[in-house]
Every structure is written in structure tokens, then in C-alpha cells.
Amino acid sequence: MTDTITNILMTGVGGQGIIMASNILSEALLAAGHDVKKSEVHGMAQRGGSVVSHVRFGNKVYSPLIRKGEVDILYCLEILEALRYTDYLKKDSIVILNNYRLNPPSVSLGAQTYPEGIPELMRKHFPRTTLIEGVELAKEAGNPKTVSTVILGHLSRYIDIPDDTWADVMKDRLPSKILEVNQKAFDAGRAVKKVA
Amino acid sequence: MAETNRKQLLSGNEAIARGAYESGVLFASAYPGTPSTEILENLISYDGIYCEWSPNEKVALEVGVGSCYAGARTLVAMKHVGVNVAADPLFTLSYTGIRGGLVLVTADDPELHSSQNEQDNRNYAKFAKVPMLEPADSQEAKDYVALALDISEQFDTPVLLRSTTRISHSQSPVSFSEPDRTTHAGKVSLVKDPQRLVMLPANARKRHVVVEARMEKLREFADTFGENIMEINDADTGIITAGIAYQYAKEIFPNASFLKLGMVYPLPEKLIREFAGKVKRLLVIEELDPFIEEQVRAMGIEVSGKDSIPILGELNPDIVASSLSGYVFSESVPVEKPELPPRPPNMCPGCPHRGVFYALSRRKAFVTGDIGCYTLAFLPPLQAIDTCLCMGASIGHAVGIDKVMGKEGKGKVAAVIGDSTFFHSGITPLIDAAYNRSSATICILDNRTTAMTGAQENPGTGKTLMGQDTQRVDIPALAKSLGISRVSTVDPYDMKRTMEVVTEELDADEISVIISEAPCVLLKGARRDEWNVLTVDHEKCTGCKACIMLGCPAIGWDSEGENSKGRKGRSVIDEMLCIGCTMCRQLCKFDAIVKA
């Protein structure tokens, strides 16, 4: 049964735009005719904590939560938050990694160290990893805060959803003031080369 | 809102709001609490429904009961622990019954994502003798509101609708129905019915008889209720389940037979016996307590469940699979990684609470805490919260500690409580503190919002949930009216003055109230004009770490960088995060923190 289901895990830090990106993705999947379930926990996460969103789609989805070792695509906005969820990945998972580091409080206070070499470690275990300079691309698009849209744009290359559907959903979900810059950010991510 | 025929992706909470609208609810009340908050936040977008944030859950239920006594269909929502607060009216409401349908939504939080306990509120259904429905996805969350209201009116009872975090905060497709906004609206009227509504002992004794008779009828009803669904597949294993646990069970055991319960109290005994008779092995898969399992066993039916499924925390497909079959299907790739630094939520950069906690931390006070963002001051480096039990408890704790400690505790005990929590249940213990002549220091952190749950209006904000202007509670005047003479207000961004006031009041021989007045930095207009993003002048930073002790997420420690003393270790400020509140600059004795 799970053969027909695609599992997307989205991770990052509260405030980076995971929830908005996962909303757009889920709406686009529904509009494209899939059964969709999406789950995340908000509340405390708004205060700079670790955020994770599960998105599952296919013919018929039961559990809103993804099983360990069954993620097809990892969308990740902060590199430590990729390493935190490797249990969910399998060897051929597609890993889309925004090359960005944000120190957790214990690192800022000097009590713990931030692991070095995360992108290399991810590449070594998950050959289908793409490292994206999302913040740079977002700045080029016109606003560094659109990084979540840049990475979503790249994710769109691995999912069969018509261009018009993405455009419609973004128009529907985003305030008109920030629509254009987000469209640019989406296209910038989409232009990044796919892995085999 | 969208047209009726296209499916919409809704969270469980959005779906509950839609369900209330479709089924003619006229009145809704709640106190914000994760994971229930979004129900009323969504309900206000529909026309024709009065919605309010009540000061606490007890009041929310009481105003809701008023509405239902006047004949209106009513929805009341709260988080699981909120039902503890509302339990007093709930238990006797079960006796009086209703006039307009009343549904009480309890949003439970297995795994304690944002709560102080993970109580299983299905137990309330049994305890209060009230039926309970439990949806398994957003479609059911919407549909069950209508069913709950029908059952409420058919059986003259309040009905509990139980959600959990995973239902409330997961999205799934929902088909809408045509809203019926007229059928029930015409029933609003004042009808005197004292034998039923005045719960004096003589009347209440008679009503208890009615309650027991009603439960009997509800038990019969449960056997025919269309949302208790039997699905016979493989006869080896039969699974009784409900709510989100159904989804996990179905994912892991697609071929098993199922009895999926839409009504989790009372249980459909005949249906359960019939189901048990059709399968070889009977299993209950449920989150938290063995609520269904124990009742099935009490029917004399052999059943298993909690002998292998954890009673703690949320379930998920992996836990269901590994606990029941010992079979862990996982293609996980082993990755050798160091211990990862955790990323807990934190008080925001520029949070006004930090000023008061810094002062309390310096004084090494024993700080009784409460429920809100400020509980995060528990974390290093401030470590300035010593207790957190339930809403409003901080003040009572401080009174009790101060009383038994006597002179030993003098100058050492302070309570901290936020504005919304103070209005919720801090006023009564403040009366206690004044009346019983406590000498504790009570700090009310007034950031003019209910911040933790995402900035909801409250009696101190001057706005209602529906956007109406209203008067604000004057906290200093309120404290004075209780006979408290030492009432001071401070600007928590003035570190020196805040330290002085905290010291003076802790040392005072009588009760004192300190009100820290500054809006939550996430609110519009909270940032002051004179604030500029700051940076560290490394020619001047000595690496003394005074600024680090604030625990501001914008301030970091660069252990490799050279400081002004020529040694390694200096502070750095992340200019993306800093909002320029100046607290760190006020602490720096070397003028090393400057405008970026």
C-alpha cells in the first residue's frame, strides 16, 4: 500500500517559513488530484525551536506521520536540522539541503559545539543530496526571507505538478505584496540542477 | 469561504470551525490553549456566530451554558487541561441537560508538545457521564460537530468532542456541506424551567436519575451509531481503535479487521461482542490510557493492548509496528553522528520578560513560575524559574512558601505570572495573598497579549476576539483595590531601575506587586524608535560574558576570536536576529556593544 504513497519531510527552524512552504506544497498536491495529509506541531516551535512537517500524498493516505526509513524527499532549510532526521531517510532519498547554519542556544553559549562537515556527511550517506545556496538565491530574487520558496522551487522538480497549479496556489496563498518576489525565488530554486 | 463542492485542505481545528458554521452554531467561547486555539480563530471568519475569548475555561463553559440554556447551538473549546478548570460546571451541566445543543471540544496533547501533562480526557466522558465523539481526520472533525449537536439535542446532554494535537494540527481534504444557519436560530428564547436548571439537592437528586437513564439510552444508541464502523477483513486479528490511532493501525495492518469507533463513550457493547465473535485475536490500539481496553475487558471479553503498546506519549506508525509485531521495517541508513545540540524554543531576541528574569536571577530568588512564554526562563543561562504547575499557580505557591519559610524566606520568594494567565486564574490567589498578609513579591509580566499561543486578545488588550474596542483591566488599580499598598510598575528594558525595584520589593516586609509593562516584541509597534540593531566592538569586548548571561538568541560566544585582552573568547551579535532592545548594552561595562 505504501508503494503508492510519496513521503516528504520538511525540516528547519521556527521562523524560517517551513509552515508556509508546506501549506503551498500540500495545496498544490490536492489541486493536482492527490489525497494529501500534512502534519506538524506548532505552539512552542514558534520560538526558534526545531520545526518538522510531514507531507504524504498518493491515492489514499492513512497516517499523517511518515515512518522512519521511508522519506522519499527531505526538504531542509538548516543543515543541523537535516542531520537530526537522518533516521527517516533511506539510501536513495532525495535530500535538498539549504546550505545555512543557525547556532542553537547551547552552541551560542559555548556549552556545546556545532558539528562540522554536515553537507559532506549527508552526501556520503545519501548520494542524491543537492546543496543549495538558498539565502544567496533568495537575496538575488529580492528578499532573503524567501529562502523557503527557493528550496520549494527546487523540490517542485521532483514532483509531477503542472506549472500553472503551482502558480495558482502561490497566488492564492501569498499576500500580493510578496507574490512576485516569491515567484522569482521559486523559479531560482527550480533552475538548480536536479540529481539523477 | 469556499464553495461547497470542492475539497479543501483543512486542519482539524479549521474543520471543527467549519462544522460549527454548517450546523448552525450561534455562540462559541474558548480560552486559547495549544492545540485548540485555532478553532475560534477560524470561527470568527464566518458570519453570524458570536465568538469570545473568555478569561478562562470555566468562564468559557459557563457563558456557553448560558447560551445553550437560551436555546442557541453552542460550541466551547479548550485544551485538555482547560477541562480541569471547567470541570465544575461540566459535571453539573450533565445533570441539568441543555436547551440548544452544546458541544465541548477538548483538544488533548499526547506527547506534551506544548503542555504540562498528557492527561487522557476520555476519562472525563465517563466521569461526567457525558457522551464523547472522537474524529480520526479533518473530514470527521467537521462532520462530528454536527453529529455531536444532534446527539446533544436528542439526548438532552452536553457532548464532548475529543481532538488530539495530531488531529487538530494535521491537514487533510474536507468536503463541505450546505450550511444550515436558520433551522436552529429560531429556537432562541427565555424559558423558565427551575426544576431542571436550579441544582439544589432536591432537584439534583431527581436529575441524577435522569442522567443514569440517559446513559442507558446512549449505550443502546452507540450500538447503532453510524460512525461505529465494523470492517471485516482477515479474521485472525480484530482491532478496536479510534481517533488518530485508527490511521496508524490501518497503515500498519491494512488487512486486519477493524472496529473503528466514532463514539468512544459510551461504548457499543453489542457491536463489540459481535466483532469479538468474528475474529480470533482482539486488540485495542489507543493512545494514552487503556480507556477502551479496560471497558472491553470488563465486559468479560479477552483483549490485549497496553501490554505491548506504550501508555506514554503519542503513537505513530513505527511505535504501533514495533510494539505489536516486534517487526521494525526500516531502511534507515546508519549515520555516525556526534551528539547533536538540541534546539529548544527560546524567549525571543528583545523579549521584555528578559529584564525581570535577569534581575531575579541576579538576586538568586526562588521564583514560582506559571504557564506562558516566560516559563522558558527556566533554560540556561537565566535559570530563573523554579516551579511550573498549572495556570495561575505561581501566586499561590509563593504565598505558601513564604508562610512556611517565615523569616528564613524573607527576600527570597517571588512569583511571576503573565497578563493573560493573571486574568485566567491569578486574581483569586492575589486576593489570598493580600487577605492572608503574605510578604511575597508578585511580578506580573504584562506584555499585553496572550503570547505563547500566538498573540490572542485578552481582558488587558482593549480588543475582543471579534475586533471590538473594549476597556482594559487596570492591573495596578486592581491590585490596590485588594488592599495591596506596594504596587509598582517598571519598564523592563530599563535594567537598572528594574533591578532596583526588584531588590526593594523583595526586601519589603509586606506583599508587593511589580508590574512589568512592555508589549511582546512580536506585536506590531512594539519596537521602539530609538532601537537600532547592535553589534560587538571587538576592540573593546573583554570576553567577560556579562551579555551572554541574558540568554538572548541574538548573542553568541565566539570561542576562537581574540578579545581586547588578547585572549581567546568574545561575544558576537547576530545582526539578522538582533532588534536593538539594548538590554545587553546596558550590562556591558566596557561600552563594547554599539550600533551596527
Side-chain angles (χ1 to χ4, degrees):
Chain A
M1 189 166 292
T2 50
D3 296 347
T4 61
I5 305 287
T6 303
N7 296 317
I8 304 173
L9 194 72
M10 305 174 82
T11 69
V13 179
Q16 281 192 300
I18 294 264
I19 307 288
M20 180 47 89
S22 66
N23 280 341
I24 292 171
L25 171 62
S26 313
E27 290 283 356
L29 289 166
L30 182 76
H34 299 284
D35 187 22
V36 187
K37 280 191 179 167
K38 164 177 122 97
S39 186
E40 70 252 331
V41 169
H42 11 126
M44 299 279 265
Q46 290 171 342
R47 306 286 172 269
S50 185
V51 174
V52 59
S53 180
H54 297 235
V55 178
R56 308 188 72 210
F57 69 96
N59 293 330
K60 170 73 188 160
V61 181
Y62 288 103
S63 166
L65 296 176
I66 302 170
R67 296 193 65 188
K68 287 184 176 165
E70 289 196 354
V71 162
D72 297 294
I73 305 173
L74 174 70
Y75 162 111
C76 185
L77 295 182
E78 201 275 351
I79 54 177
L80 176 62
E81 299 308 315
L83 198 55
R84 208 184 292 286
Y85 294 96
T86 54
D87 282 359
Y88 282 87
L89 305 183
K90 51 191 173 187
K91 185 121 195 87
D92 65 346
S93 296
I94 291 159
V95 175
I96 306 169
L97 195 54
N98 178 36
N99 193 15
Y100 177 72
R101 164 181 171 161
L102 190 65
N103 287 340
S106 60
V107 173
S108 297
L109 294 171
Q112 273 179 299
T113 51
Y114 193 102
E116 296 297 330
I118 295 177
E120 295 72 24
L121 193 67
M122 292 298 291
R123 270 215 185 99
K124 187 178 131 195
H125 290 95
F126 309 100
R128 301 176 83 190
T129 295
T130 303
L131 194 66
I132 298 179
E133 299 300 331
V135 179
E136 291 307 311
L137 292 176
K139 277 184 192 160
E140 281 169 27
N143 186 342
K145 288 184 177 166
T146 60
V147 61
S148 62
T149 312
V150 171
I151 307 302
L152 184 65
H154 188 64
L155 184 145
S156 74
R157 299 201 58 167
Y158 296 97
I159 306 171
D160 191 16
I161 293 176
D163 290 3
D164 288 355
T165 307
W166 284 110
D168 289 348
V169 170
M170 284 178 49
K171 211 178 280 174
D172 204 39
R173 297 295 302 209
L174 294 168
S176 55
K177 240 178 19 186
I178 56 164
L179 179 62
E180 200 188 324
V181 67
N182 274 283
Q183 282 163 337
K184 276 190 192 164
F186 188 87
D187 292 341
R190 206 169 158 86
V192 174
K193 196 169 167 279
K194 250 174 101 168
V195 293
Chain B
M1 281 292 143
E3 68 278 29
T4 44
N5 46 14
R6 212 193 108 214
K7 281 197 175 189
Q8 304 278 314
L9 205 56
L10 298 189
S11 70
N13 284 347
E14 289 169 324
I16 289 169
R18 174 72 199 183
Y21 173 66
E22 286 181 1
S23 50
V25 163
L26 297 175
F27 185 103
S29 50
Y31 180 77
T34 311
S36 70
T37 312
E38 300 83 3
I39 299 171
L40 259 69
E41 286 183 323
N42 278 282
L43 206 45
I44 51 169
S45 64
Y46 296 97
D47 289 336
I49 306 175
Y50 170 84
C51 296
E52 74 164 49
W53 293 132
S54 309
N56 68 29
E57 294 87 352
K58 178 177 185 287
V59 177
L61 182 53
E62 288 159 350
V63 295
V65 171
S67 154
C68 107
Y69 282 171
R73 284 197 150 189
T74 301
L75 178 139
V76 182
M78 55 195 62
K79 68 182 291 170
H80 60 333
V81 287
V83 181
N84 302 336
V85 179
D88 200 359
L90 173 64
F91 279 62
T92 310
L93 176 64
S94 171
Y95 279 36
T96 68
I98 51 92
R99 272 195 67 233
L102 185 138
V103 57
L104 172 57
V105 182
T106 165
D108 292 11
D109 189 18
E111 198 72 30
L112 306 98
H113 294 286
S114 194
S115 301
Q116 65 271 33
N117 77 23
E118 54 179 348
Q119 67 188 47
D120 185 336
N121 274 10
R122 292 178 300 171
N123 294 296
Y124 268 116
K126 190 162 183 247
F127 197 2
K129 300 176 193 273
V130 167
M132 176 182 267
L133 305 187
E134 184 168 5
D137 60 20
S138 297
Q139 182 70 55
E140 291 182 2
K142 180 188 81 73
D143 296 343
Y144 284 16
V145 175
L147 291 172
L149 289 164
D150 289 345
I151 292 169
S152 174
E153 287 165 0
Q154 186 183 341
F155 292 91
D156 186 17
T157 176
V159 175
L160 284 157
L161 179 74
R162 181 190 188 231
S163 176
T164 56
T165 303
R166 216 39 90 176
I167 295 293
S168 281
H169 286 176
S170 291
Q171 296 186 357
S172 57
V174 176
S175 305
F176 289 0
S177 304
E178 197 59 48
D180 177 2
R181 301 293 307 156
T182 50
T183 308
H184 305 281
K187 296 176 185 164
V188 176
S189 60
L190 271 182
V191 178
K192 291 203 181 208
D193 189 359
Q195 264 69 35
R196 197 158 76 89
L197 302 185
V198 181
M199 285 299 92
L200 285 165
N203 289 340
R205 269 182 217 113
K206 290 177 198 150
R207 292 302 299 178
H208 189 186
V209 177
V210 175
V211 169
E212 296 305 328
R214 181 180 75 207
M215 282 315 302
E216 204 44 51
K217 283 188 201 145
L218 279 161
R219 275 188 274 272
E220 286 165 24
F221 173 79
D223 281 318
T224 59
F225 181 53
E227 295 299 311
N228 291 335
I229 299 164
M230 191 157 23
E231 181 191 321
I232 302 296
N233 299 309
D234 182 350
D236 269 353
T237 306
I239 298 171
I240 303 177
T241 183
I244 192 69
Y246 166 77
Q247 308 291 1
Y248 304 145
K250 191 76 185 162
E251 182 90 22
I252 300 301
F253 303 108
N255 303 319
S257 294
F258 279 87
L259 175 58
K260 176 184 173 295
L261 300 176
M263 183 187 266
V264 292
Y265 192 79
L267 292 183
E269 188 167 343
K270 271 188 205 156
L271 202 59
I272 289 170
R273 288 189 189 285
E274 186 189 336
F275 184 63
K278 288 180 192 235
V279 296
K280 276 191 199 148
R281 179 173 78 121
L282 190 64
L283 186 66
V284 176
I285 299 181
E286 58 190 325
E287 248 172 9
L288 299 177
D289 293 348
F291 180 77
I292 297 170
E293 183 186 342
E294 283 179 352
Q295 293 182 73
V296 172
R297 190 168 294 124
M299 294 170 193
I301 299 169
E302 196 179 325
V303 62
S304 63
K306 290 292 165 186
D307 52 341
S308 48
I309 299 165
I311 206 163
L312 308 174
E314 270 192 305
L315 299 181
N316 63 41
D318 287 312
I319 292 171
V320 169
S322 61
S323 58
L324 287 170
S325 52
Y327 159 73
V328 186
F329 174 78
S330 175
E331 294 176 41
S332 292
V333 178
V335 176
E336 268 183 48
K337 48 188 173 188
E339 191 192 329
L340 304 185
R343 198 186 295 277
N346 221 301
M347 288 200 294
C348 302
C351 174
H353 298 332
R354 201 169 269 113
V356 174
F357 283 112
Y358 182 79
L360 290 168
S361 162
R362 291 273 98 180
R363 260 302 288 246
K364 296 194 167 50
F366 187 93
V367 182
T368 58
D370 226 299
I371 308 277
C373 296
Y374 44 93
T375 318
L376 298 171
F378 152 82
L379 294 167
L382 288 168
Q383 292 176 296
I385 287 280
D386 295 294
T387 70
C388 170
L389 187 69
C390 65
M391 292 288 284
S394 58
I395 299 177
H397 292 344
V399 172
I401 291 170
D402 171 64
K403 287 288 175 193
V404 296
M405 291 296 292
K407 280 187 184 151
E408 284 286 296
K410 188 173 150 31
K412 292 179 187 162
V413 185
V416 290
I417 184 167
D419 50 338
S420 193
T421 311
F422 178 68
F423 301 134
H424 179 284
S425 47
I427 298 173
T428 332
L430 189 63
I431 294 172
D432 180 71
Y435 168 57
N436 287 310
R437 305 185 68 93
S438 168
S439 61
T441 301
I442 314 298
C443 305
I444 300 171
L445 308 176
D446 183 6
N447 64 359
R448 293 280 147 170
T449 190
T450 314
M452 182 91 252
T453 43
Q456 287 75 32
E457 305 296 346
N458 71 42
T461 65
K463 283 258 189 232
T464 68
L465 170 59
M466 297 182 81
Q468 205 178 14
D469 288 324
T470 184
Q471 65 279 8
R472 296 175 158 184
V473 175
D474 182 338
I475 300 175
L478 175 74
K480 284 177 189 157
S481 76
L482 305 180
I484 299 170
S485 54
R486 298 189 71 96
V487 177
S488 35
T489 56
V490 294
D491 170 7
Y493 292 105
D494 183 343
M495 303 285 281
K496 187 163 169 278
R497 182 70 196 134
T498 301
M499 191 75 221
E500 283 167 6
V501 171
V502 165
T503 304
E504 278 167 28
E505 299 310 324
L506 276 169
D507 291 339
D509 284 327
E510 59 185 286
I511 173 136
S512 44
V513 172
I514 303 171
I515 300 141
S516 161
E517 286 183 337
C520 169
V521 284
L522 299 180
L523 295 181
K524 232 180 184 174
R527 298 186 187 195
R528 300 181 185 180
D529 292 341
E530 65 271 24
W531 287 354
N532 296 298
V533 171
L534 300 171
T535 189
V536 179
D537 178 351
H538 289 129
E539 300 285 305
K540 289 182 176 170
C541 175
T542 64
C544 75
K545 287 193 174 177
C547 54
I548 295 278
M549 295 317 289
L550 277 170
C552 174
I555 306 174
W557 181 246
D558 171 10
S559 54
E560 294 303 310
E562 188 173 304
N563 61 39
S564 66
K565 303 268 187 193
R567 287 191 288 267
K568 275 188 176 181
R570 61 191 190 184
S571 293
V572 283
I573 291 178
D574 185 331
E575 292 172 29
M576 290 282 280
L577 297 175
C578 174
I579 65 158
C581 80
T582 77
M583 282 193 198
C584 59
R585 193 166 72 186
Q586 295 174 52
L587 293 180
C588 181
K589 290 180 182 145
F590 307 97
D591 297 325
I593 295 175
V594 295
K595 191 175 156 183

